[in-house]
Amino acid sequence: MTKFIKPFLFVSAAVLMLVGLMLSFAPDMMYSSSGHSLPDMTLLRSDLRSGGMVLLVSGLFVLWSALRGRHIELALLLSALAYLGYGLGRFVSIGFDGAPDATLATVTAIEWALGLAALALLWRGKSTGAGTPMATNQARI
């Protein structure tokens, strides 16, 4: 494992868990922090909360992987999928809904940066002579 993977996984887990917690349990506070209000629609709130739980559980897995040193490759892949999935969704939204405000543009840039960093660490781990991070961790199981 390179020296950057574990710190990255802690950052990734923290962001996933924070956003997941906010979407799941305090969506109004999250939206008001960016100057917007969330409509009182059960369907929309349900979608936000369920997506938030996916992020929260993903963040818990990434944190567990970083703490235990197991399934590192899977944690990097999950981080890449989560962040790049959201980043790609933001680009689709720009096409359908128009340009985002400054806050959302910043969030989009952060999502892409974290997603691409996860991919880079994943590929870097695969290209080292020691094999993939996952293969190293399988011996402990």
Side-chain angles (χ1 to χ4, degrees):
M1 176 171 17
T2 69
K3 64 182 177 180
F4 299 110
I5 290 177
K6 207 167 193 178
F8 172 81
L9 289 177
F10 283 120
V11 170
S12 176
V15 172
L16 288 169
M17 290 188 308
L18 177 64
V19 173
L21 282 167
M22 292 297 290
L23 283 173
S24 297
F25 301 108
D28 291 301
M29 185 186 311
M30 184 170 179
Y31 278 82
S32 67
S33 71
S34 64
H36 300 283
S37 61
L38 188 58
D40 192 22
M41 295 173 48
T42 302
L43 176 64
L44 177 60
R45 289 173 179 272
S46 176
D47 284 346
L48 288 172
R49 291 181 196 278
S50 59
M53 289 306 290
V54 170
L55 294 177
L56 178 58
V57 171
S58 296
L60 289 170
F61 175 79
V62 172
L63 178 63
W64 175 81
S65 296
L67 290 172
R68 299 283 302 200
R70 291 186 173 184
H71 307 297
I72 299 298
E73 187 175 71
L74 203 56
L76 286 170
L77 183 60
L78 181 58
S79 293
L81 289 171
Y83 292 118
L84 293 176
Y86 266 86
L88 185 59
R90 307 273 187 214
F91 282 158
V92 169
S93 179
I94 289 169
F96 284 103
D97 307 318
D101 62 12
T103 302
L104 196 52
T106 302
V107 167
T108 302
I110 292 169
E111 290 164 345
W112 277 99
L114 290 170
L116 292 173
L119 278 182
L121 290 169
L122 185 63
W123 286 328
R124 184 175 179 180
K126 285 187 172 192
S127 67
T128 62
T132 65
M134 180 68 96
T136 303
N137 294 316
Q138 289 294 340
R140 295 184 193 175
I141 296 177

